[in-house]
Amino acid sequence: MNIEENIKEFQRFLSNKNCRLIAVSKTKPVEDIKLAYRAGQRNFGENKVRELRDKQPHLPQDIRWHMIGHLQTNKVKYIAPFVTMIHAVDSLKLLVEINKQALKNGRVIDCLLQVHIAEEESKFGLDENELMDLLTNETLHELKNINIKGLMGMATFTGDENQIRKEFGFLKNLFDEVSLGHHLSNTDWKEISMGMSGDYKIAVEEGSTMIRVGSSIFGERIYH
Ligand SMILES: *Cc1c(COP(=O)(O)O)cnc(C)c1O
């Protein structure tokens, strides 16, 4: 894998699009992240708090870190001082905790609400009704140290392009609906985080503003 060349290829691909690359560096060493940084990449994604905490001090401080994985309430405090955006928020309880930790750090933290769009069963992500319930909950109005920037979703892991396109299209429609009807002081509907190595082209066609790409840049991951 030529990480710098891969980054440059994504830069070319996205240059005429309203979409940014989040380079997903999970399981990859700090040296690999530095190569991507050298090619101009600044937005990086990790899915584990421990790993993000371990890497962050060893890397340039102008990197914008995105927490893209499921986040436990009791771990928010470890990333609140520096994280740029939290992508997979799927409960009011988590938003309340992010708000609390952001306040402690004198920050406002950008969040995306994760919507369950795949066919596969998963305990993560809100369905349409849960999303609407959250957005109309009175408590949400009081959270001044979070800013809800948009929605995030993951398509079914399948080779069926029509299926994937349908799911991304569903998320885009939902985004359009909430961004028209749910304006609060702490919402700023701008981002749709969808698309990974296997499906980012479809995601961009369907309106993604943030693709989260790992293995196509850094190579396959090896889990021990
Ligand atoms: C790992 C991961 C990605 C990137 O996956 P690739 O297929 O390697 O591009 C994107 N989003 C989330 C939430 C992930 O956990």
Side-chain angles (χ1 to χ4, degrees):
M1 274 283 166
N2 185 332
I3 293 170
E4 290 178 86
E5 198 42 57
N6 293 341
I7 291 288
K8 284 177 185 152
E9 205 155 301
F10 272 96
Q11 286 167 350
R12 283 192 290 272
F13 171 69
L14 294 173
S15 63
N16 58 351
K17 300 176 180 72
N18 174 34
C19 182
R20 277 172 300 153
L21 171 67
I22 313 301
V24 177
S25 48
K26 63 190 187 198
T27 78
K28 300 296 177 182
V30 159
E31 287 70 32
D32 287 6
I33 300 174
K34 284 181 180 164
L35 288 174
Y37 181 90
R38 207 182 297 162
Q41 182 64 24
R42 292 295 178 272
N43 288 285
F44 289 88
E46 291 281 342
N47 72 336
K48 295 213 159 61
V49 167
R50 181 62 195 269
E51 194 175 344
L52 179 50
R53 274 179 86 190
D54 285 349
K55 286 173 175 173
Q56 189 265 346
H58 302 288
L59 286 154
Q61 295 302 297
D62 63 338
I63 284 183
R64 292 186 289 273
W65 289 106
H66 297 253
M67 177 63 198
I68 62 170
H70 180 69
L71 179 57
Q72 285 172 280
T73 311
N74 62 350
K75 293 189 177 160
V76 176
K77 57 178 176 285
Y78 299 120
I79 58 171
F82 65 88
V83 74
T84 292
M85 185 178 273
I86 299 175
H87 283 234
V89 179
D90 64 358
S91 73
L92 185 61
K93 180 171 159 246
L94 184 55
L95 281 174
V96 167
E97 178 64 15
I98 294 169
N99 184 73
K100 180 178 153 193
Q101 297 300 333
L103 180 62
K104 265 193 192 168
N105 286 279
R107 307 184 65 214
V108 173
I109 296 179
D110 289 342
C111 298
L112 302 178
L113 301 176
Q114 183 178 5
V115 179
H116 182 70
I117 58 172
E119 229 169 35
E120 296 142 351
E121 284 290 325
S122 161
K123 48 189 193 303
F124 302 131
L126 304 156
D127 66 26
E128 202 175 341
N129 291 329
E130 290 166 336
L131 175 67
M132 296 309 170
D133 284 350
L134 198 163
L135 289 173
T136 50
N137 192 302
E138 289 292 322
T139 304
L140 185 62
H141 300 226
E142 296 157 18
L143 308 178
K144 308 289 184 210
N145 290 71
I146 55 150
N147 194 11
I148 297 176
K149 300 282 285 187
L151 302 179
M152 179 268 204
M154 287 166 93
T156 304
F157 188 71
T158 171
D160 182 350
E161 283 201 9
N162 290 328
Q163 172 80 22
I164 295 168
R165 193 176 294 283
K166 199 180 75 189
E167 292 169 1
F168 287 151
F170 172 80
L171 190 61
K172 167 73 165 106
N173 283 338
L174 201 52
F175 174 87
D176 290 343
E177 190 184 329
V178 295
S179 62
L180 278 176
H182 290 275
H183 290 283
L184 300 171
S185 60
N186 55 8
T187 61
D188 181 21
W189 298 105
K190 288 227 165 66
E191 309 287 357
I192 308 174
S193 169
M194 59 183 187
M196 313 181 8
S197 289
D199 56 20
Y200 70 86
K201 284 185 180 149
I202 304 173
V204 169
E205 284 166 11
E206 296 301 317
S208 173
T209 67
M210 291 181 150
I211 52 174
R212 308 177 310 271
V213 179
S215 42
S216 287
I217 294 167
F218 297 106
E220 292 299 321
R221 287 176 293 273
I222 299 155
Y223 290 96
H224 298 282

